[in-house]
């Protein structure tokens, strides 16, 4: 069997280990230290956010953001359905209820029309005060339509938490995803565009918000010589070892974005040669995607109903990993009882007929040739 080609695997730049060695040399083997501070500064200067807290995961960052916004028992969060479960689970941790919003065709992210419909629904029912946050996602590194989403959020006075876990470095009008809402969330899990092995960050323009986030992430310890607590906190701080990996990864992040974008374009060229009219997330005017994963949609009216699955299984026989897109949350057994807004079932269609192809920034030319000849062979069999 040929060696496995992964969908997206960690890609070290080379300096990560020296930051980790420094931590060992100075015995900063703790959930705080110079690498944590340095990594937070790196995130701030890269994304242009005023304040950042390095945390143990992106999921933890979403949990803390919603907690600070006062999400609790009986409340509602309007969240993009087409996403990974980590966008939604923290809503349940807090005893609140997710209400799912469909995606739109351009970006595959939160549809502003469906969001407006949901907001009006709660307003007309006299329950707008229950809606504590709006949570859009920049899926696969494509910016959501933040102008329209922020305009609605402002009109209805509801704060926004941006799940930018997949979109580090993606921008809209030159402004980084994660910096539009009251809070933004990044993830450094092993499969993301850069990794700390596991980790996340919460960013905000508000110093108070991030100070409170740091406190909540450290068991909400009060400023006293003994252990004193006047709130319930969490243990969500990032380790100084992981932050060392992060500092090294930040040095190569611009390169990683270029590499992922070039992967995506290489697939587009191949599809053009094959005459495949494949659809994908559109990079609209003034948007810049990081193309974390190369994700494509095979319209069944053109390709047939089984094309995506046949392609996936064919690649699997050659030990090439590919994966269907995120299964929408309103279709998940654990969330199917929840309310859903959307008329076009965009997320469902993209889930049914979409595929993520190998997208690592460390794909070798040899691996690329295996992928390309596999796709060409598959095309011949059609
Ligand atoms: C990875 C991811 C998260 C969660 O991040 P972790 O660091 O793995 O907890 C949240 N939302 C989306 C869309 C993600 O892809």
């Amino acid at each position: 069997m040929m060696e496995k080609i992964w969908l997206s695997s960690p890609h070290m730049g080379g300096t990560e280990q020296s930051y980790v060695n420094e931590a060992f040399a100075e015995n900063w083997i703790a959930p705080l230290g110079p690498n944590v501070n340095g990594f937070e500064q790196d995130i701030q200067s890269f994304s242009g956010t005023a304040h950042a807290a390095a945390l143990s995961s992106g999921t933890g960052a979403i949990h803390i953001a919603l907690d600070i916004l006062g999400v609790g028992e009986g409340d509602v969060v309007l969240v993009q359905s087409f996403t990974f479960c980590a966008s939604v689970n923290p809503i349940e941790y807090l005893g609140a209820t997710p209400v799912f919003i469909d995606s739109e065709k351009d970006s595959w992210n939160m549809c502003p029309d469906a969001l407006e419909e949901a907001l009006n629904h709660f307003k007309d029912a006299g329950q707008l005060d229950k809606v504590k946050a709006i949570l859009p996602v920049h899926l696969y590194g494509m910016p959501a339509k933040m102008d329209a989403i922020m305009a609605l959020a402002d009109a209805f006075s509801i704060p926004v938490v941006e799940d930018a876990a997949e979109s580090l470095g993606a921008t809209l009008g030159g402004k980084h995803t994660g910096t539009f809402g009251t809070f933004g969330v990044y993830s450094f899990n092993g499969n993301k565009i850069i990794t700390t092995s596991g980790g996340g960050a919460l960013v905000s323009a508000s110093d108070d918000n991030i100070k409170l986030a740091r406190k909540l992430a450290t068991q909400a310890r009060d400023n006293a010589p003994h252990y004193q607590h006047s709130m319930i906190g969490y243990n969500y701080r990032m380790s100084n070892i992981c932050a060392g990996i992060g500092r090294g990864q930040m040095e190569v992040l611009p390169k990683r974005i270029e590499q992922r974008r070039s992967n995506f374009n290489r697939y587009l060229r191949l599809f053009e040669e094959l005459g495949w009219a494949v659809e994908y997330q559109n990079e609209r005017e003034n948007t810049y995607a990081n193309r974390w994963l190369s994700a494509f949609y095979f319209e069944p009216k053109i390709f047939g109903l089984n094309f995506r699955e046949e392609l996936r299984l064919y690649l699997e026989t050659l030990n090439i990993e590919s994966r269907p897109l995120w299964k929408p949350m309103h279709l998940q057994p654990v969330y199917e009882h929840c309310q859903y807004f959307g008329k076009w079932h965009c997320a469902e269609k993209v889930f049914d007929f979409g595929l993520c192809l190998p997208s690592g920034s460390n794909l070798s030319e040899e691996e690329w040739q295996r992928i390309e000849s596999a796709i060409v062979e598959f095309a011949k069999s059609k």
Side-chain angles (χ1 to χ4, degrees), residues 57-59 62 83-84 86-87 137 139 163 165-166 187 189 192 199 326:
S57 71
T59 313
I62 295 172
T83 186
F84 178 49
S87 312
V137 187
L139 220 58
D163 183 344
E166 301 180 359
S187 167
N189 196 24
K192 296 290 172 14
W326 298 122

